[in-house]
Amino acid sequence: MIRFLAPWLLLWLLIPLGYLALRRSELRGKTLTDRLAIWLRVGAIALLVLAWAGPQMKSRAENHYVYFLVDISQSTRAALSPDFLERLNRWASPQPRTQYGVIVFAEQPFVEAPFAPSLNLEELHTTLGGEATDLAAAIELALATFPQDGTKTIVLLSDGQPTQGALATATRRAAREGVPIFTMAMEAPATEFSIQDVRVPREVALGLPFAFQSVIYASRPSLARLLVYRDETLIASQELTLQAGLNFFEQRDELEQPGLHEYRAELIAPDDAILQNNVYRALVEAVGGPRILLVEADLKGPSPLERMLSSAGHVYARVSLRAFAPTPTSLLSYRAVILDDVPLKELSRSQIANLTHYVQDLGGGLWLIQGRRAVEEFYDRQLERLLPVTYEGPEELQRPALALVMLLDKSGSMGEIAGTQPKIELLKQAAIAAVDKLDARNLLGLIAFDSTYQWLVPLEPVRSRKGDIRRKIEGLSANGGTDVYNALRDAVASLQKVRARVKHILVFSDGKVAREGRDFERIFREIAQSTITASAIAIGAQADIEFLWRLAEVGQGIKYEVKDAKDLPQITLEEVIRLERARWIKGPVPVVPGPYAFELRQVDPRAIPPVDGYVLTFEKPMAQTLLQIRAEDAQADPLVSHWRYGLGKVLVLNTSFSDEGLGRWLSWEGLGTLAAELLSRVYSDAPLAPKELTLQTELEGSLLRVTAEAARDGRWLDLLSLEGRLSAPDSEPQALTFEQVAPGRYQASVPDLTEGVYLLSVGEESLGWVQEAISIPYAAEYRRIGVNQELLTRLSYETRGEYLENLEGLAPLLRGRAWFWRDIWQTLALLALALFLVDLIFRKLPTPGS
């Protein structure tokens, strides 16, 4: 029986066969010698094609050879128990015409025992150095040292964790030569602990707290101790309770000195089989201060946030919203951009687009501080897509619960004609229009006042009462004086009793308010200290502007001066629409911890004072809310939320640092600490890099391969003169030489790197520079601990072997292997050469009649 390793190459036989078919009529006219020469040449070509296709013939074997490949690398040395050699001798049981050999391997392979009918190993004499595992080299050595005759088998005893070598090439050769590989896993160390990673930010700012994480592997539950050093100074000693698998522990630090700092984590665990992987190093660079861009509405004077940044020693640039002209290049200098209560409606499309690019594509951080001024008349969804919160929640929560009391002046002066109608008629039209506009779920109360007052409509949900309310309003008539005191006091008392996000008083008046014996200041204090807001609409030139404007100021509402009473319905409708869309909720309201309050390491959320007001927003599904607002038993609203957007981060503070929002916070001693924590949430961990240049690093043993890719506007950038350097904190930089290997792709290699931390810098004049910290804590041999059963199974499958749970069943698999596939391509090639020589001889012979 014959088989071909590359049967598709047999298609080349169609060429000589097609030649014979096309020239068959011409061949009949040639002499016998010529026809024979042509057949000899076609036969030689056909034999060459057959030899090229890798022919093998099934032959009967006289002998069978078995190589045991034993992994004695550092990752499996602990698994070589004292009785291992005894079991290996037993596995190599004597069989007719069968011989056994042993190859041990680590970084290099070595023949420990040549082929013999049995094994009698008492100890391994070979000592292999190095901190690597080259499984491919062991397979190649076995294939090279097998005898030519007989069948061949490889039994691989390993954890399946190679760190170097071309394993795929060696596997294909074994399959091509018909050598099956049986695999069995070496037992992993019974007790093993290691530090897998120390995740630190690439860059931090002086005086800004930051977090880093240690990732620890444990083969079983245990107690351990983690020591953390910064520049050889012990900064943390932590008792750990480890669970089997990966464990994550967070540490925090703050740097006061600029420059590079090395962090070293050391793990101390009982009965640890391998100690070389218990130390991990990482590199952090501290820059001279946060690179912050502070955008404010105007630059009239130092804002509270600016004073906090200055007192903390932070370096920042300050710009007004009008002068804020971001571009992708200009924003590369900043790790964070702060929008400090700027009117969001004044942000242009270009500003929003560049901020989005800065966060999403460049990895920058955005901190939006929004108070009442920021969200007034703002309805742009382009910026909202960038935020972890939305201004429109679920349908049942979209509108804030509004409790509105309207005080309607029906004094005698309201009977005066304005144009063609009395002012009282215009007021009734305005009130009815407002009622029609109100959502049925909101609460509404109507008070009519002159010298006395009466509740036309009690403060209750509108629901289906609109018809009844209209009739009550239509029954109003003008008479009496203007005494709003008792009406206003009763409105405040009623609103204090109800639960609603927005509680508002809207006063209509056209005359002088009676003040004698009335303590309006007491009412004003009650309004100022409550969550009630108030607006005032002054009708005509005789209205008591001084009183109405004072009411609107303490109530943080709107002042409307209606000189022409005919405009009253339209202005009233605008105010009601504004109230139903109200986003600024007046305080004081308490602050409570959010679902992610545990991220605040330096501040106790329960110690944070109430806020004097906040912007009503709703969490998006992926938002992480640190602090919330919870008024009475209402649903909690986000106060501080953040999320990752693209490569960058965005944080929203739903109040302002002005007295209007954080009056109580400004005297709180923990405000500076909280502001630093919030800033650290968005401050970029690494220098922002141009999107056109990206780096990929690959570490193979001690060889570092750096691949740089450069593209702009969807086109590869070719023929660049990239520069690179690799430096350790205590050594001179090492220059990297880049070669272009593909369109827009460049590679450089650095061999023989020792353990340590390195700073990689790559750049070009037109692209800028990209930096990356590289840590080589220990050899890859100590990182890959445990059995890679997937690799062992795949290797045996590809060579027609078998993955074995143990070797007790190996002997039956080796019996009866009397047949093997023998290469015959050499024979066919020699026959092709012989036919070619005969063809030459025939061409030299004289033909009859020549």
Side-chain angles (χ1 to χ4, degrees):
M1 183 183 294
I2 296 177
R3 71 176 184 181
F4 294 90
L5 296 177
W8 59 90
L9 294 177
L10 296 177
L11 294 174
W12 288 95
L13 289 173
L14 297 176
I15 295 177
L17 294 176
Y19 172 80
L20 292 176
L22 293 174
R23 304 292 295 275
R24 63 179 183 275
S25 59
E26 181 180 341
L27 291 176
R28 293 192 189 99
K30 290 185 177 293
T31 64
L32 176 62
T33 303
D34 288 339
R35 289 201 302 272
L36 185 58
I38 292 174
W39 278 101
L40 288 172
R41 183 173 301 175
V42 170
I45 294 174
L47 287 173
L48 285 176
V49 171
L50 291 173
W52 189 21
Q56 292 181 331
M57 177 177 289
K58 194 172 186 180
S59 305
R60 191 168 189 83
E62 294 297 327
N63 298 304
H64 181 55
Y65 302 96
V66 179
Y67 250 140
F68 288 95
L69 273 55
V70 182
D71 186 348
I72 61 170
S73 62
Q74 297 292 337
S75 62
T76 61
R77 188 176 297 275
L80 296 176
S81 57
D83 64 339
F84 174 78
L85 294 181
E86 181 182 339
R87 286 184 286 140
L88 186 61
N89 293 334
R90 187 171 67 252
W91 291 333
S93 58
Q95 296 188 58
R97 299 187 303 275
T98 302
Q99 298 192 51
Y100 303 94
V102 177
I103 292 177
V104 295
F105 67 95
E107 187 172 5
Q108 295 176 337
F110 189 82
V111 178
E112 172 72 22
F115 285 109
S118 63
L119 293 179
N120 189 23
L121 297 174
E122 296 182 357
E123 62 177 338
L124 295 178
H125 298 284
T126 303
T127 301
L128 298 176
E131 297 180 328
T133 302
D134 196 338
L135 204 160
I139 296 175
E140 292 284 359
L141 178 61
L143 296 175
T145 55
F146 270 124
Q148 291 296 318
D149 66 310
T151 57
K152 308 170 183 67
T153 298
I154 292 176
V155 180
L156 174 64
L157 308 174
S158 172
D159 60 356
Q161 301 286 10
T163 61
Q164 66 183 37
L167 181 59
T169 301
T171 304
R172 285 194 296 268
R173 179 183 171 186
R176 185 172 61 251
E177 296 183 8
V179 180
I181 300 178
F182 293 85
T183 59
M184 190 189 83
M186 298 280 281
E187 296 178 358
T191 303
E192 169 55 15
F193 305 94
S194 64
I195 303 180
Q196 293 289 303
D197 196 4
V198 175
R199 299 170 179 173
V200 299
R202 164 65 190 85
E203 178 184 291
V204 298
L206 293 181
L208 196 64
F210 65 95
F212 58 96
Q213 190 179 64
S214 300
V215 182
I216 298 176
Y217 167 78
S219 61
R220 62 173 178 84
S222 177
L223 298 177
R225 176 182 291 273
L226 180 65
L227 305 177
V228 180
Y229 295 84
R230 185 215 312 129
D231 300 329
E232 302 304 324
T233 300
L234 180 66
I235 63 171
S237 177
Q238 185 176 359
E239 295 290 340
L240 308 179
T241 301
L242 301 177
Q243 303 299 323
L246 292 180
N247 300 262
F248 302 87
F249 299 96
E250 184 175 291
Q251 293 84 34
R252 298 185 69 83
D253 198 16
E254 185 174 321
L255 295 175
E256 303 296 338
Q257 298 296 327
L260 293 173
H261 298 267
E262 182 181 283
Y263 284 81
R264 185 177 83 253
E266 293 185 5
L267 180 67
I268 301 174
D271 303 323
D272 194 357
I274 300 175
L275 300 179
Q276 290 90 336
N277 53 16
N278 288 18
V279 178
Y280 203 106
R281 293 175 173 83
L283 197 65
V284 177
E285 182 179 8
V287 297
R291 295 167 184 164
I292 300 168
L293 180 62
L294 178 59
V295 183
E296 297 185 323
D298 53 58
L299 305 180
K300 292 181 180 178
S303 64
L305 178 59
E306 184 187 5
R307 289 193 293 269
M308 277 188 288
L309 293 175
S310 299
S311 63
H314 298 325
V315 178
Y316 61 92
R318 186 180 179 217
V319 65
S320 68
L321 180 60
R322 185 182 298 274
F324 180 47
T327 65
T329 303
S330 66
L331 290 177
L332 281 174
S333 303
Y334 303 105
R335 303 293 183 266
V337 174
I338 304 176
L339 300 181
D340 186 11
D341 201 22
V342 300
L344 298 181
K345 66 180 180 180
E346 296 181 12
L347 282 172
S348 68
R349 295 279 176 177
S350 174
Q351 288 173 322
I352 296 174
N354 282 315
L355 279 175
T356 301
H357 173 70
Y358 167 72
V359 174
Q360 181 177 5
D361 300 323
L362 300 180
L366 174 64
W367 182 7
L368 173 62
I369 301 170
Q370 55 179 1
R372 182 170 66 168
R373 174 175 59 176
V375 296
E376 280 182 348
E377 301 179 23
F378 171 68
Y379 305 106
D380 193 327
R381 291 302 182 89
Q382 183 182 4
L383 178 65
E384 188 178 327
R385 285 192 288 269
L386 188 61
L387 307 180
V389 295
T390 176
Y391 300 101
E392 300 292 338
E395 180 63 28
E396 65 274 12
L397 298 175
Q398 278 187 9
R399 294 186 180 88
L402 170 64
L404 172 64
V405 177
M406 293 196 294
L407 276 61
L408 308 178
D409 185 352
K410 68 179 190 67
S411 60
S413 58
M414 289 294 292
E416 296 175 359
I417 301 297
T420 59
Q421 300 181 75
K423 288 188 285 186
I424 189 66
E425 294 299 324
L426 295 171
L427 175 60
K428 289 192 287 186
Q429 294 175 21
I432 290 173
V435 171
D436 290 339
K437 180 62 181 174
L438 279 173
D439 185 85
R441 292 166 293 186
N442 289 327
L443 284 69
L444 174 66
L446 293 178
I447 300 178
F449 68 91
D450 45 33
S451 300
T452 61
Y453 79 99
Q454 69 176 101
W455 282 89
L456 291 179
V457 176
L459 183 57
E460 294 176 354
V462 175
R463 292 180 184 154
S464 59
R465 299 189 302 147
K466 289 188 177 182
D468 184 50
I469 295 172
R470 290 192 202 98
R471 287 191 294 273
K472 295 283 185 67
I473 295 172
E474 289 170 351
L476 287 177
S477 60
N479 58 72
T482 308
D483 189 352
V484 73
Y485 179 77
N486 290 321
L488 182 60
R489 186 178 61 177
D490 205 0
V492 172
S494 298
L495 286 171
Q496 295 275 35
K497 298 175 184 177
V498 300
R499 293 190 176 99
R501 280 194 174 98
V502 178
K503 302 178 182 181
H504 194 75
I505 296 173
L506 180 57
V507 177
F508 298 81
S509 180
D510 75 333
K512 295 296 181 182
V513 174
R515 304 194 191 190
E516 186 175 351
R518 277 87 172 162
D519 189 1
F520 280 110
E521 288 301 320
R522 179 179 177 181
I523 298 178
F524 292 160
R525 285 195 299 272
E526 288 183 25
I527 293 174
Q529 294 170 3
S530 70
T531 60
I532 299 172
T533 57
S535 297
I537 298 180
I539 306 171
Q542 302 302 317
D544 195 334
I545 296 294
E546 181 183 354
F547 166 79
L548 295 175
W549 275 200
R550 171 73 173 140
L551 173 65
E553 286 174 1
V554 298
Q556 299 181 7
I558 307 297
K559 309 165 188 175
Y560 297 96
E561 187 173 3
V562 182
K563 295 182 179 179
D564 189 343
K566 291 183 295 185
D567 298 330
L568 186 58
Q570 180 61 33
I571 291 175
T572 304
L573 192 59
E574 290 176 2
E575 172 65 1
V576 171
I577 292 174
R578 186 190 72 84
L579 289 173
E580 287 217 301
R581 291 179 173 177
R583 291 178 177 152
W584 177 253
I585 309 300
K586 186 186 173 188
V589 284
V591 177
V592 297
Y596 288 83
F598 63 87
E599 293 184 2
L600 296 174
R601 304 292 184 179
Q602 308 296 321
V603 177
D604 182 1
R606 295 167 295 182
I608 298 176
V611 294
D612 292 330
Y614 70 99
V615 173
L616 176 64
T617 61
F618 303 90
E619 291 182 2
K620 291 181 180 177
M622 300 301 292
Q624 298 177 354
T625 297
L626 306 176
L627 299 174
Q628 292 178 323
I629 291 295
R630 187 184 295 275
E632 299 172 345
D633 61 350
Q635 179 175 342
D637 299 323
L639 179 65
V640 178
S641 297
H642 69 100
W643 73 350
R644 181 168 289 279
Y645 190 85
L647 299 178
K649 293 168 284 188
V650 181
L651 182 139
V652 174
L653 172 63
N654 282 323
T655 190
S656 69
F657 282 97
S658 66
D659 291 338
E660 185 179 57
L662 296 177
R664 290 170 172 79
W665 284 28
L666 294 178
S667 58
W668 173 46
E669 61 182 9
L671 180 58
T673 303
L674 177 62
E677 281 236 35
L678 299 185
L679 179 59
S680 69
R681 296 290 158 194
V682 296
Y683 190 84
S684 177
D685 294 339
L688 305 190
K691 192 179 180 183
E692 292 86 0
L693 183 61
T694 58
L695 289 184
Q696 292 180 343
T697 57
E698 182 182 3
L699 191 63
E700 297 180 359
S702 62
L703 174 68
L704 174 67
R705 183 174 291 109
V706 181
T707 302
E709 291 190 358
R712 179 177 294 155
D713 299 328
R715 295 184 178 181
W716 299 113
L717 300 180
D718 291 330
L719 305 178
L720 294 177
S721 299
L722 287 182
E723 299 179 25
R725 55 179 178 268
L726 187 70
S727 58
D730 55 352
S731 64
E732 291 294 323
Q734 182 177 356
L736 275 65
T737 302
F738 280 90
E739 295 182 1
Q740 184 164 352
V741 296
R745 177 173 292 184
Y746 307 81
Q747 278 191 352
S749 297
V750 186
D752 303 326
L753 286 180
T754 58
E755 295 179 6
V757 286
Y758 299 85
L759 184 62
L760 173 66
S761 300
V762 177
E764 194 263 351
E765 184 176 355
S766 65
L767 294 174
W769 286 79
V770 178
Q771 290 186 322
E772 184 174 325
I774 298 173
S775 176
I776 306 178
Y778 43 77
E781 178 70 22
Y782 305 117
R783 176 180 294 273
R784 302 173 183 177
I785 304 298
V787 176
N788 188 346
Q789 184 174 341
E790 179 184 357
L791 182 141
L792 294 175
T793 303
R794 185 177 70 249
L795 192 153
S796 59
Y797 172 79
E798 292 176 353
T799 58
R800 301 186 180 183
E802 187 175 333
Y803 177 79
L804 305 172
E805 294 294 337
N806 57 69
L807 293 188
E808 303 302 332
L810 178 63
L813 295 174
L814 300 181
R815 292 194 191 106
R817 295 183 56 82
W819 298 92
F820 73 102
W821 292 101
R822 179 169 57 86
D823 289 332
I824 58 173
W825 66 268
Q826 302 95 330
T827 304
L828 295 180
L830 290 174
L831 286 174
L833 178 61
L835 291 181
F836 180 70
L837 293 175
V838 172
D839 173 40
L840 289 178
I841 294 173
F842 263 88
R843 291 178 180 278
K844 297 298 182 181
L845 292 176
T847 59
S850 62

